[in-house]
Amino acid sequence: MPTEQPIAASAHPPAPGAPLVRPARAGDESALAALDAATWSTLHAITPRPVPPLPSFFRPERGPEAHLVAEVPENPGHPVGYLRLVPSIPLPANAHVRAIQGLAVDPAVRGRGVARALLRAAVARCRAEGARRLTLRVLGHNTPARRLYESEGFAVEGVLPGEMYLDGAYVDDVLMGLVVHTEE
């Protein structure tokens, strides 16, 4: 069986203590479901709060292969973050676009570059797959996430004003994108 390799986010080796990003495995499902439930917030979630028993994290259309998982060196094998990366629209005319449809980081490791490492690994995966664009949606009031995405080169491509109604307030849905591959 081949050894699983971390996904390179850059050409440089990771700094000591830096998060490691790898493809998700089927065995990660319960840890990812628990992480998803623990990080739920109307700052970023538009779905109802998960309640026990937790639903399956993986689904046929978004199994382990659609997820990148982050670990920290002091706790190998334990996911502390994930990013879901899927085709944007399942049509041949849109096959060159990938979409981030979920990103979560354990609050205990926030500020250690986990989300940034996941984003960079997603861009690396997109490039390796020949994708040209990477898109995402973020709620307008999620300032920390928007700043992170902008710092990684994502640009606002559209705003759907008042698209969501959360906690008694209308919230904008912000569409962001990044060109990841420009060769013809």
Side-chain angles (χ1 to χ4, degrees):
M1 175 183 223
T3 304
E4 186 174 83
Q5 296 295 315
I7 297 171
S10 71
H12 306 290
L20 302 173
V21 177
R22 62 168 173 80
R25 302 183 284 255
D28 294 324
E29 184 165 30
S30 62
L32 292 174
L35 177 64
D36 207 39
T39 59
W40 185 94
S41 163
T42 55
L43 185 61
H44 60 81
I46 59 172
T47 58
R49 178 184 296 276
V51 294
L54 296 177
S56 296
F57 184 81
F58 297 130
R59 297 189 181 144
E61 71 278 7
R62 57 173 213 214
E65 68 284 348
H67 294 81
L68 300 174
V69 170
E71 300 176 355
V72 289
E74 66 270 18
N75 199 359
H78 180 74
V80 296
Y82 76 84
L83 182 145
R84 183 177 303 119
L85 185 63
V86 297
S88 178
I89 300 171
L91 295 172
N94 193 252
H96 63 286
V97 182
R98 302 292 181 275
I100 294 171
Q101 291 187 350
L103 188 150
V105 174
D106 185 330
V109 297
R110 286 191 183 148
R112 291 186 51 187
V114 173
R116 190 173 302 280
L118 285 163
L119 283 171
R120 290 178 179 177
V123 169
R125 178 182 269 187
C126 287
R127 286 185 178 135
E129 293 175 354
R132 295 176 58 90
R133 285 181 32 80
L134 178 57
T135 63
L136 61 88
R137 297 170 83 152
V138 60
L139 294 173
H141 65 265
N142 192 345
T143 304
R146 291 179 63 182
R147 284 185 184 144
L148 171 66
Y149 300 140
E150 288 170 358
S151 75
E152 288 297 315
F154 285 83
V156 173
E157 296 180 339
V159 177
L160 303 174
E163 187 75 2
M164 304 298 170
Y165 186 75
L166 302 167
D167 280 347
Y170 292 97
V171 179
D172 295 349
D173 189 11
V174 180
L175 313 175
M176 300 184 80
L178 173 72
V179 174
V180 296
H181 196 287
T182 58
E183 293 179 16
E184 290 297 320

